[in-house]
Amino acid sequence: MSKIKIAVLGYGNLGRGVELATRNTKDIEMTAVFSRREPSSVKTCGAPVFKMDEILSHKGEFDVLILCGGSATDLPTQTPEFVKNFNVVDSFDTHAKIPEHFAAVDAEAKKSKKVGVIAVGWDPGLFSLNRLYSESVLENGESYTFWGKGVSQGHSDAIRRVKGVVDARQYTVPIESALNSVRNGENPKLSTREKHLRECYVVVEDSADKARIENEIKTMPNYFADYNTSVHFVDLETLKREHGGIQHGGFVLRSGKTGENDESKHLIEFSLKLDSNPEFTASVLVAYARAAYRLNAKGESGAYTVFDIAPALISPKSTEKLRKEIL
C-alpha cells in the first residue's frame, strides 16, 4: 500500500515536530518542506527543502500540505490561499475567529474541490472534542477549561510580532484555587481573568520603548487584554537558559448532576501533560492529515473541524481492527 505523502509550509518547532511525528507512522511520509528562508539554511531531519514561492511547481507530488505558521498573521491568509491547490491542515488557534476562518477556507475549498481541516491541535482540537462529548452527556452542568502551566506557541508568536521585540516566551498559568473549586463540585462562575494568569518573558532591542511594548502586549485583543498579564524584560541569554523548554498541558472538566432532585454529582476530567507542545500538536496535525486525505479521496471537499470528522478517519487502523481492538 502506498503511503500518504505530506509536506509542510514553515519549518520552526511545529514543522520539525511534523517531520518527527511522521517517523512514528507506517502509512504517512513527509516528502517536502517549503520555507520563506533560503533552503540551504534550513536543517531538517532528512526532508528536502524548497522555497515557498516554488510550491505550485510541486503540485501533485504530495497529498496534504500542513501549514505551520502562526495564527496571528500567517494562517488567516495562508489557509484560504493554499486550499485553492492543495488539501491542507492548519492549527489556527484564535478561538474567537474560528467561525470566520472556517467560512473563508470553506468557500475556497469548495471551489477547488479540496479539503481544508482547520483549528487542529489540542486546544482547539482534542480539548474541543472532550468539551463536546462531556456537555452532550451531562447536559445539566458546567464546563471548564484550564491551560498550563506551559508555553503557548501562538501567544509567544504574537508577542514576537510586536515592534522592537527580539524574542519572547508566554506562559499560561491556571489559578489553583479556581481549579480546586471545580474539582470540589462547587460549580463556580468564573470569568476569564479568574481562571488564568499570563506571564510574559520578553527580549527587546536595545533602543526599544519598553513601556510601549508592555502596553501593546497587555492590551492585545484575543490574547492578553482579558487576563491579568505580567511582562518581564530579560536578556536573550536568560531567556534561552531559563525559558528554553516548550512544555504545556491543561484540563477540560465537566461538573454535572443527574437524578430526580440532582442528588447525583459527576465529574468528567480530561488532562494533558506535555513535554513538548509543538511535537504533540504536530502529532495531532499528522493524524488529521490522514483524515483530510481520506475525505478528499472519497470526493469530499470544503472546510472541516474536529467536530466534522469521524474518529475512525484519523486512525491508521481499519474500522474492523478498531471495533475488535479498541471498542
Side-chain angles (χ1 to χ4, degrees):
M1 180 182 295
S2 60
K3 291 187 176 183
I4 300 168
K5 294 180 172 58
I6 65 169
V8 299
L9 178 63
Y11 195 80
N13 290 323
L14 187 57
R16 184 175 185 275
V18 170
E19 184 175 19
L20 294 175
T22 60
R23 293 186 169 193
N24 294 322
T25 67
K26 295 180 180 179
D27 62 333
I28 297 175
E29 62 180 340
M30 185 160 146
T31 61
V33 170
F34 297 95
S35 176
R36 293 189 183 101
R37 292 179 282 164
E38 185 62 34
S40 61
S41 70
V42 181
K43 305 302 180 186
T44 71
C45 299
V49 185
F50 306 95
K51 289 184 177 180
M52 177 177 167
D53 56 14
E54 297 176 356
I55 192 168
L56 290 181
S57 65
H58 293 268
K59 189 174 180 179
E61 296 178 8
F62 53 88
D63 302 303
V64 183
L65 177 66
I66 297 181
L67 303 173
C68 298
S71 297
T73 58
D74 293 327
L75 298 178
T77 58
Q78 286 182 354
T79 311
E81 181 62 29
F82 285 102
V83 82
K84 294 177 181 178
N85 290 283
F86 308 101
N87 297 315
V88 300
V89 181
D90 78 18
S91 59
F92 185 80
D93 65 358
T94 306
H95 292 262
K97 294 186 176 181
I98 286 176
E100 64 186 77
H101 184 57
F102 180 94
V105 175
D106 191 51
E108 297 298 341
K110 285 178 177 173
K111 291 178 190 175
S112 64
K113 301 189 184 305
K114 298 294 184 182
V115 166
V117 185
I118 70 156
V120 171
W122 55 276
D123 198 9
L126 301 186
F127 272 18
S128 310
L129 284 171
N130 280 274
R131 284 190 287 266
L132 185 152
Y133 288 139
S134 61
E135 289 181 15
S136 300
V137 172
L138 292 177
E139 293 189 51
N140 179 16
E142 295 288 339
S143 292
Y144 304 87
T145 303
F146 292 87
W147 301 278
K149 178 180 180 181
V151 176
S152 169
Q153 298 173 92
H155 288 69
S156 299
D157 179 68
I159 297 173
R160 288 193 285 268
R161 304 300 176 103
V162 174
K163 184 178 179 181
V165 172
V166 175
D167 202 354
R169 296 289 185 279
Q170 185 268 314
Y171 294 90
T172 299
V173 185
I175 296 174
E176 197 68 27
S177 58
L179 181 57
N180 288 335
S181 178
V182 174
R183 285 176 169 155
N184 291 336
E186 297 170 16
N187 286 9
K189 299 294 183 183
L190 299 170
S191 67
T192 297
R193 197 176 298 274
E194 290 173 322
K195 292 193 293 182
H196 298 92
L197 305 173
R198 295 208 183 277
E199 295 180 352
C200 310
Y201 293 84
V202 185
V203 180
V204 299
E205 298 171 354
D206 292 339
S207 59
D209 182 342
K210 291 183 178 179
R212 173 189 60 78
I213 290 172
E214 181 172 354
N215 182 65
E216 282 193 35
I217 293 171
K218 289 184 173 181
T219 59
M220 192 181 297
N222 301 315
Y223 286 90
F224 302 103
D226 296 329
Y227 299 84
N228 289 332
T229 301
S230 60
V231 178
H232 310 278
F233 293 102
V234 297
D235 58 43
L236 190 58
E237 182 180 337
T238 300
L239 187 76
K240 291 180 177 179
R241 182 180 66 251
E242 298 182 6
H243 307 284
I246 329 175
Q247 74 278 6
H248 216 321
F251 313 85
V252 172
L253 304 101
R254 178 75 174 177
S255 179
K257 298 177 181 179
T258 62
E260 188 174 353
N261 298 299
D262 291 341
E263 65 273 16
S264 300
K265 294 183 179 181
H266 313 280
L267 180 67
I268 300 172
E269 180 170 342
F270 176 78
S271 66
L272 292 173
K273 185 176 182 181
L274 313 175
D275 272 353
S276 172
N277 182 1
E279 288 182 13
F280 184 83
T281 300
S283 296
V284 184
L285 286 166
V286 168
Y288 277 89
R290 181 183 288 116
Y293 168 77
R294 289 173 171 174
L295 285 166
N296 195 239
K298 293 194 298 182
E300 302 292 336
S301 64
Y304 290 78
T305 72
V306 294
F307 296 151
D308 311 308
I309 295 173
L313 289 177
I314 70 171
S315 174
K317 296 182 178 182
S318 68
T319 54
E320 292 79 12
K321 278 194 173 183
L322 291 174
R323 286 191 292 270
K324 181 179 180 180
E325 298 176 4
I326 297 180
L327 189 59

